[in-house]
Amino acid sequence: MLNPTLSLTQPKSLSLLFPLNPSTSAPWSPLVTTHRKVPHNRSKPVRLISTYRVKCINDLTVAPLTEVSVTAIVTVQMTIGGRFANLGLNRGLDGITDLLGKSLQLELVSAEIDPKTGKQWNHISAYARHKDYEHLDNEAKYEAEFKVPIGFGGVGAIVVENDHRKEMFLKNIVLVTDNDEASKITFVCDSWVHSKFDNPEKRIFFSVKSYLPSQTPKSLEDLRRKDLESLRGDGTGERKNFDRIYDYDVYNDLGDPDSKDGDMARPVLGGSKQFPYPRRCRTGRPRTKKDPHSERRSSNVYIPRDESFSEVKNTTFSAKTLRSVLHAVVPSLETAIYDTKLGFPYFTAIDSLYDEGVKLPEQEGLSFFRTLVPRIIKAVRDTTENVLLFETPEMINRDKFSWFRDEEFSRQTLAGLNPYSIKLLTELPIVSKLDPAIYGPPESLITPELIEREIKGAMTAQEAIMKKKLFILDYHDLLLPYVHKVRELDNTTLYSSRTVFFLTHENTLMPIAIELTRPASPTKPQWKQVFTDNWDATSAWLWKLAKTHVCAHDSGYHQLVSHWLRTHCCVEPYIIASNRQLSAMHPIYRLLHPHFRYTMEINALAREALISAGGIIERSFSPRKYSMELSSVAYDLEWQFDMEALPADLIRRGMAVEDPKAEHGLRLTIEDYPFANDGLLIWTSTKQWVTDYVNHYYETPNDVLQDSEIQEWWLEIRTKGHADKKDEPWWPKLENQDDLIQILTTIIWVTSGHHAAVNFGQYHYAGYFPNRPTIARTNMPVEDEVPNSESFKKFWRKPEDALMECFPSQIQATVVMAVLDILSSHSPDEEYISEKPELVWKSDPVINAAFERFNGRMKEIEGIIDDRNLDTKLMNRCGAGIVPYELLKPFSGPGVTGKGIPNSISI
């Protein structure tokens, strides 16, 4: 267990106070025979203090020791390539600095006040000299020696100045008193320290002991305030790579207004009533020439330095491989498949992606990628040729034809990639909320009579509503305003859709009707039609085409809303606010910090190449260039913080009701709802861990109210991070421990369980794109009822060809598959929920015990989920050829496993 403070009031070895004379007896004797225990105070460590008197020897008094020796051992992580990776003038100057012993200057800061003066102890400074350790390949060691006066007390902070010309990554600093191993304490750094030549401001690292603001030792109050101020910046200037500034900005860098034809311009998201949006990290880049509101894009997107560990950590495996896909593999695919409209001619051509692959032209970067992810890029017959050879997705590996069946289409609404959209249908008729003067008649054609016909008279439609038997995927009002806009684009189309399901006695869903709608236009009236799976061939094929459109809608909503918006995008303001308002020594900062790892780096990469104008999303998903605009509309209509908690989300969608007698206090509307069943296990266990943690630091509601940092943190999340919704009445209050527990559990759930559920199954389910096409490119052949149209004739003659033309093109499908393979993959050193305690938690026995209980519960959940996947009564997760629902199993190995809940949104 870590020692939280280094106390220099009384060395553990008495010989450190009074050196022994070998020819005499011990020069000290106890003044009292008992120890005095200092009363517990959260602002100071518990210490045992003994009192001694000096013993006279031969009429001589041995003077008491006035200072002790302390050694600081600094561990520096080497950059990739080792110590001499960056040869050059600066590297040479840094080598000279090391030789002169002027590499790092350290200052020890006492956590106590000097009792003699009543003021702060002066900082004790020393330079750390470089030490060579031949057995350490990836680390360098620096040592500093200090002479510390007795009574200095616990070391509460260490101030560091880097005298090198280049930044250094500090892993930790270990302090040892007079080589006494029992006195060893560790300051956890895990941070980049900039060169003083880039920024003269020194870095501050606090001890592992956590303090609420009011409990901060007086001697550390100024450092606590100064450290926070250094992270906020002043909101001006362009940020440099070495900066650690956290500030807010709108999404004004997604487009390129200065492009030649202007087609790459995109609206600013955030800061307006038309396009409200969460905030992202401010970079301060120059504005574009044609649009002063838009920021000029660049290939190097600033994020605060400690949010990226790409040069020293293997965890950026995901970021590196994703960059390789975007900058090497995607261009190669575009060269190999030069016709962007070319579809797959038949299903065996799709199968060949897993058997023969796509031969890629030689391009710089592919050889590196092949060694990094041999799963995707493979060498052909031991030559240097590269081929994009996809692994067969788990779903198709188990059952090649499962995607074709209605049962699987329905099952995936509960146990697939997007379990967040299915809702209880609570009233008939179904009516749109959009303006009928613009979009046409609002009533749905899925009438009670049609429902009763499709369920074969099992009950009336009203009885089905009352018995909670009807459910809906409703993308009507969200998509309808974009139908005509998207249809103006080349090689694509769009409808709005409603899909209604009936709950069977086996707790499985049966799709009974799909409605597709095209709104009225100046030249055409509204068109809508309901498709059902009838017994005749024409209806059966039209049903398959209608399902393709619905799957494309669901894929787009999943990627843009359930995944990007609700996890990646909405979490970034929490990260910014936490760093700006919560001190590194605040217990809540330390609770949240593991759940924010690498999110800002991944988000910056997404803005660079995935969600930006001309990026993967715009080229390959149904809303095309309106994709991000659509996510803004969803944010406006649907997102509210209190509903991001899993229980509240289930209740809002009618998928659960409160029931104090039920497990987790909820009774599910569909008993066999794998996402909800497993998710509630994770939610409840996480909430218990957060409860134990919060109640350890906050004894009364007043402690929460008087915590200035946590109150400013919550205020800033609402008024700056989500500024466009700052006046909404649903924001939770923060007045007591329960409020704080609910807020923190919601944030942790979104970064862990929610993200895992919508991310790590992507290749399993969408790696075979006919199961989840990202785009539908052609209209329904019966639109406008023109039976002699060319599209209808083609459909009539060979309906399979019509389906293949509707699917994504070859380039769209293969690019998305390559990206999804990476997005679904766990890094080799992924950190999973509850798996590894932070070192600062281990220093506190109460917190450490609570975390051990959390870890034990997660291990228990692993077994519960395994048992559920073997229960044949649970048909939504167990059956012939069905992929077991493991997306919310807490732990996983590296690679594409379809399970594992990382602490953070790290890919």
Side-chain angles (χ1 to χ4, degrees):
M1 186 175 296
L2 285 179
N3 184 356
T5 59
L6 176 66
S7 178
L8 297 173
T9 303
Q10 175 69 48
K12 295 182 181 294
S13 172
L14 295 175
S15 63
L16 299 182
L17 280 178
F18 301 100
L20 291 176
N21 186 331
S23 63
T24 62
S25 59
W28 51 266
S29 61
L31 180 63
V32 289
T33 57
T34 59
H35 291 298
R36 172 170 59 90
K37 186 172 183 179
V38 178
H40 178 64
N41 185 322
R42 291 189 183 186
S43 67
K44 294 183 179 180
V46 176
R47 293 176 295 151
L48 295 178
I49 299 178
S50 299
T51 304
Y52 295 87
R53 67 186 179 192
V54 178
K55 181 178 180 180
C56 293
I57 305 172
N58 298 329
D59 297 326
L60 294 175
T61 301
V62 178
L65 191 65
T66 59
E67 61 184 24
V68 295
S69 297
V70 175
T71 301
I73 304 170
V74 184
T75 301
V76 175
Q77 178 75 51
M78 306 301 290
T79 56
I80 290 177
R83 182 180 176 191
F84 300 106
N86 297 311
L87 293 175
L89 178 60
N90 287 343
R91 178 64 260 174
L93 291 174
D94 289 347
I96 295 173
T97 303
D98 283 347
L99 291 174
L100 295 175
K102 300 287 187 179
S103 306
L104 289 169
Q105 186 181 40
L106 308 182
E107 300 175 18
L108 303 186
V109 183
S110 175
E112 301 180 16
I113 297 295
D114 186 342
K116 294 181 180 179
T117 65
K119 299 179 181 180
Q120 286 182 310
W121 285 89
N122 291 329
H123 298 185
I124 302 174
S125 302
Y127 276 101
R129 293 175 174 271
H130 181 261
K131 298 289 185 179
D132 283 318
Y133 292 85
E134 293 183 359
H135 62 286
L136 296 174
D137 294 330
N138 299 315
E139 295 177 353
K141 298 285 186 179
Y142 292 80
E143 289 187 8
E145 299 292 339
F146 300 89
K147 295 297 182 182
V148 182
I150 295 300
F152 187 79
V155 177
I158 300 177
V159 179
V160 178
E161 181 179 70
N162 175 15
D163 285 9
H164 281 145
R165 300 275 172 171
K166 287 186 173 291
E167 63 184 356
M168 303 175 75
F169 186 81
L170 264 60
K171 293 184 65 177
N172 57 59
I173 303 173
V174 177
L175 300 182
V176 182
T177 306
D178 278 310
N179 296 317
D180 181 3
E181 287 295 314
S183 71
K184 181 184 295 186
I185 67 164
T186 301
F187 281 69
V188 180
C189 303
D190 284 335
S191 177
W192 290 99
V193 177
H194 55 259
S195 166
K196 73 175 184 180
F197 300 101
D198 289 330
N199 181 358
E201 194 172 69
K202 298 178 181 179
R203 287 295 311 279
I204 304 167
F205 296 101
F206 295 103
S207 73
V208 296
K209 185 168 179 60
S210 298
Y211 298 99
L212 295 179
S214 62
Q215 299 161 351
T216 309
K218 291 290 185 183
S219 61
L220 300 179
E221 287 178 344
D222 286 345
L223 284 181
R224 182 172 187 147
R225 174 186 51 78
K226 182 179 179 181
D227 191 47
L228 277 175
E229 288 175 352
S230 71
L231 293 167
R232 295 173 189 152
D234 60 6
T236 64
E238 184 172 359
R239 298 271 60 90
K240 305 296 190 296
N241 289 336
F242 55 80
D243 282 341
R244 299 171 60 242
I245 306 299
Y246 293 80
D247 203 356
Y248 301 96
D249 206 346
V250 294
Y251 278 75
N252 59 0
D253 63 341
L254 300 178
D256 182 11
D258 293 339
S259 59
K260 290 183 179 180
D261 55 5
D263 190 53
M264 300 292 280
R266 297 292 181 270
V268 173
L269 303 185
S272 68
K273 291 184 178 180
Q274 184 180 11
F275 296 119
Y277 218 56
R279 299 302 191 259
R280 50 102 171 165
C281 184
R282 179 185 177 278
T283 66
R285 289 175 292 185
R287 300 305 173 100
T288 59
K289 296 178 181 178
K290 295 181 180 179
D291 180 7
H293 299 291
S294 293
E295 190 174 86
R296 196 178 303 164
R297 293 169 59 185
S298 62
S299 59
N300 183 22
V301 181
Y302 165 80
I303 56 174
R305 191 63 184 98
D306 283 344
E307 299 300 329
S308 171
F309 297 86
S310 57
E311 292 185 42
V312 297
K313 297 285 277 185
N314 288 332
T315 40
T316 51
F317 164 88
S318 300
K320 285 181 181 177
T321 51
L322 185 53
R323 279 192 173 92
S324 295
V325 166
L326 298 175
H327 298 304
V329 177
V330 170
S332 293
L333 275 170
E334 291 171 341
T335 303
I337 308 172
Y338 52 86
D339 185 352
T340 59
K341 298 181 182 180
L342 183 66
F344 289 88
Y346 30 74
F347 279 99
T348 53
I350 300 174
D351 296 339
S352 70
L353 294 174
Y354 314 102
D355 301 326
E356 302 171 13
V358 180
K359 185 179 177 182
L360 302 178
E362 285 300 315
Q363 181 172 325
E364 185 179 352
L366 284 181
S367 58
F368 161 76
F369 189 75
R370 189 175 65 204
T371 59
L372 198 61
V373 189
R375 170 186 162 84
I376 303 179
I377 301 293
K378 309 204 175 190
V380 180
R381 298 187 186 90
D382 298 323
T383 70
T384 58
E385 292 180 354
N386 291 304
V387 63
L388 190 68
L389 183 62
F390 293 98
E391 296 287 334
T392 303
E394 184 68 13
M395 176 189 169
I396 300 304
N397 193 44
R398 287 173 175 262
D399 184 350
K400 185 175 182 178
F401 301 105
S402 58
W403 70 275
F404 217 59
R405 295 195 301 270
D406 287 351
E407 295 86 350
E408 183 64 14
F409 170 69
S410 300
R411 189 187 76 85
Q412 287 183 31
T413 65
L414 302 172
L417 275 187
N418 185 30
Y420 274 100
S421 285
I422 190 73
K423 299 177 184 177
L424 179 70
L425 184 58
T426 57
E427 60 183 4
L428 290 171
I430 306 169
V431 180
S432 169
K433 296 178 181 179
L434 298 175
D435 186 352
I438 300 175
Y439 298 106
E443 296 82 12
S444 171
L445 295 182
I446 303 178
T447 61
E449 294 76 17
L450 184 146
I451 291 172
E452 290 166 6
R453 185 191 76 200
E454 291 303 312
I455 62 177
K456 313 302 181 187
M459 60 185 73
T460 66
Q462 198 56 42
E463 285 176 324
I465 291 285
M466 295 295 293
K467 293 181 178 180
K468 299 184 177 181
K469 291 286 188 178
L470 296 178
F471 297 82
I472 188 170
L473 279 182
D474 191 349
Y475 296 126
H476 183 277
D477 286 10
L478 182 65
L479 295 180
L480 199 64
Y482 287 90
V483 169
H484 288 309
K485 293 180 181 179
V486 171
R487 286 184 169 216
E488 291 175 358
L489 305 176
D490 188 37
N491 198 36
T492 191
T493 192
L494 186 66
Y495 295 98
S496 68
S497 67
R498 296 184 178 105
T499 307
V500 175
F501 303 83
F502 180 75
L503 183 65
T504 70
H505 295 299
E506 291 81 17
N507 262 301
T508 60
L509 291 176
M510 176 180 71
I512 58 176
I514 294 173
E515 179 184 52
L516 299 180
T517 304
R518 182 200 68 204
S521 72
T523 58
K524 293 182 179 180
Q526 181 194 69
W527 175 88
K528 66 173 69 172
Q529 185 167 334
V530 176
F531 300 90
T532 58
D533 191 11
N534 293 330
W535 292 100
D536 65 287
T538 303
S539 296
W541 274 104
L542 288 173
W543 173 251
K544 290 176 178 60
L545 283 166
K547 283 199 301 181
T548 297
H549 284 274
V550 171
C551 285
H553 301 163
D554 194 61
S555 291
Y557 186 89
H558 158 258
Q559 205 65 266
L560 293 166
V561 181
S562 301
H563 186 190
W564 162 256
L565 174 68
R566 293 179 64 179
T567 65
H568 289 261
C569 184
C570 286
V571 164
E572 187 153 336
Y574 311 151
I575 303 173
I576 298 172
S578 296
N579 283 278
R580 286 169 54 87
Q581 297 298 340
L582 299 181
S583 167
M585 65 169 69
H586 197 294
I588 302 306
Y589 176 88
R590 286 171 164 167
L591 173 68
L592 290 174
H593 186 256
H595 300 286
F596 295 155
R597 191 179 78 143
Y598 306 125
T599 302
M600 291 181 73
E601 181 178 23
I602 291 298
N603 287 2
L605 179 57
R607 300 205 323 269
E608 179 188 336
L610 287 175
I611 63 173
S612 55
I616 304 298
I617 297 295
E618 284 198 359
R619 283 185 281 171
S620 305
F621 283 78
S622 280
R624 297 292 296 274
K625 65 181 290 185
Y626 302 100
S627 292
M628 293 304 292
E629 189 176 313
L630 189 78
S631 74
S632 169
V633 174
Y635 176 71
D636 184 32
L637 295 175
E638 301 176 9
W639 189 88
Q640 59 182 75
F641 181 88
D642 58 332
M643 293 294 114
E644 294 304 288
L646 177 61
D649 172 78
L650 294 171
I651 292 170
R652 176 172 64 168
R653 291 190 283 121
M655 302 305 290
V657 294
E658 292 188 73
D659 183 352
K661 297 180 180 179
E663 187 180 14
H664 314 295
L666 290 181
R667 177 164 43 85
L668 295 180
T669 309
I670 300 177
E671 293 179 12
D672 183 15
Y673 185 2
F675 161 72
N677 281 302
D678 296 357
L680 287 170
L681 291 174
I682 303 298
W683 168 271
T684 302
S685 299
T686 301
K687 189 171 185 178
Q688 184 58 58
W689 152 241
V690 174
T691 300
D692 293 341
Y693 191 97
V694 167
N695 286 337
H696 179 62
Y697 290 101
Y698 298 89
E699 294 182 350
T700 68
N702 193 55
D703 290 338
V704 177
L705 286 169
Q706 296 302 314
D707 185 340
S708 57
E709 288 183 6
I710 205 71
Q711 293 296 333
E712 285 298 319
W713 168 79
W714 185 232
L715 177 67
E716 189 163 291
I717 285 174
R718 302 188 331 262
T719 61
K720 292 187 177 181
H722 288 274
D724 297 329
K725 288 180 174 279
K726 62 183 176 63
D727 297 322
E728 295 289 352
W730 41 254
W731 282 106
K733 294 181 179 180
L734 181 51
E735 298 177 343
N736 53 48
Q737 297 99 312
D738 289 343
D739 294 342
L740 182 57
I741 289 165
Q742 183 71 9
I743 289 168
L744 294 173
T745 305
T746 299
I747 291 174
I748 293 173
W749 160 255
V750 171
T751 64
S752 56
H754 180 151
H755 180 258
V758 299
N759 185 77
F760 292 104
Q762 290 189 85
Y763 195 77
H764 275 9
Y765 287 104
Y768 185 75
F769 68 86
N771 179 60
R772 284 188 69 80
T774 59
I775 193 169
R777 297 189 296 151
T778 58
N779 294 338
M780 293 293 291
V782 293
E783 185 180 327
D784 294 328
E785 299 180 357
V786 183
N788 293 320
S789 68
E790 192 61 35
S791 62
F792 186 83
K793 290 179 180 178
K794 187 180 294 185
F795 163 74
W796 192 266
R797 183 171 58 252
K798 194 174 181 182
E800 180 183 335
D801 286 353
L803 183 60
M804 299 304 290
E805 288 181 5
C806 189
F807 281 155
S809 67
Q810 290 190 30
I811 187 65
Q812 288 171 330
T814 52
V815 164
V816 169
M817 288 164 64
V819 171
L820 293 185
D821 191 284
I822 302 304
L823 295 181
S824 303
S825 184
H826 289 292
S827 296
D829 66 343
E830 189 72 87
E831 294 181 4
Y832 298 96
I833 191 167
S834 88
E835 183 179 42
K836 180 182 176 183
E838 295 292 298
L839 291 177
V840 294
W841 301 339
K842 295 180 71 174
S843 68
D844 188 315
V846 175
I847 297 300
N848 191 51
F851 186 84
E852 289 297 325
R853 292 193 295 272
F854 183 38
N855 173 259
R857 180 57 177 161
M858 286 297 168
K859 290 177 179 177
E860 184 182 346
I861 289 173
E862 288 256 313
I864 293 173
I865 292 175
D866 286 339
D867 289 343
R868 287 174 173 176
N869 286 329
L870 294 175
D871 189 342
T872 55
K873 296 190 296 295
L874 302 178
M875 297 182 182
N876 289 320
R877 65 192 308 155
C878 181
I882 287 179
V883 177
Y885 191 75
E886 298 183 316
L887 290 174
L888 289 173
K889 284 189 70 173
F891 310 114
S892 173
V896 180
T897 64
K899 58 185 175 183
I901 306 176
N903 274 326
S904 64
I905 304 167
S906 57
I907 182 61

